[in-house]
């Protein structure tokens, strides 16, 4: 059940997948793109390897279903707006065209 509450964003692809299911993300600073995705509104960014801070963030989200749902919705919207094929595909095609000239 805890996995349904929050995903510890340690691997960015898994984090993006979780966000598609409107899950808030809890990650460490320096976590390979996860903090940039999370920002200030898609979950919580803990100081690097501060497991106490991370545990507290997970517990806070577990105890507040309304906040968890709201943050999860924001994460879901962000992943669809920035990381879907529809959003990223045209940018990738532009890069391919520019380097192939």
């Amino acid at each position: 059940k805890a996995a349904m509450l929050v995903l510890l964003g340690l691997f960015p692809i898994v984090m993006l997948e979780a966000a598609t299911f409107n899950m808030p993300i809890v990650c460490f600073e320096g976590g390979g793109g996860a903090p940039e995705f999370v920002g200030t509104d898609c979950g919580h960014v803990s100081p690097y390897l501060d497991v106490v801070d991370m545990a507290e963030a997970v517990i806070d989200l577990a105890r507040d279903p309304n906040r968890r749902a709201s943050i999860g919705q924001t994460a879901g919207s962000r992943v669809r707006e920035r990381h879907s094929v529809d959003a990223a595909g045209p940018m990738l095609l532009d890069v391919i065209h520019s380097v192939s000239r």
Side-chain angles (χ1 to χ4, degrees):
K1 184 167 182 160
M4 296 176 67
L5 302 177
V6 66
L7 176 83
L8 305 180
L10 302 174
F11 188 67
I13 297 298
V14 173
M15 173 200 64
L16 295 176
E17 250 183 75
T20 65
F21 291 98
N22 298 327
M23 294 176 69
I25 308 301
V26 177
C27 65
F28 288 119
E29 289 176 345
E36 293 78 12
F37 176 84
V38 171
T40 60
D41 56 354
C42 289
H44 178 81
V45 179
S46 293
Y48 186 66
L49 297 182
D50 187 340
V51 294
V52 172
D53 184 78
M54 182 175 269
E56 288 171 351
V58 171
I59 290 167
D60 289 346
L61 286 167
R63 290 182 175 160
D64 190 343
N66 292 329
R67 181 168 170 263
R68 185 174 66 242
S70 175
I71 292 171
Q73 288 290 329
T74 302
S77 294
R78 179 161 301 152
V79 78
R80 286 184 285 282
E81 290 167 7
R82 297 184 186 176
H83 301 282
S84 68
V85 171
D86 291 337
M91 291 185 289
L92 179 59
L93 187 58
D94 287 344
V95 169
I96 291 169
H97 285 149
S98 71
V99 297
S100 66
R101 291 184 187 135

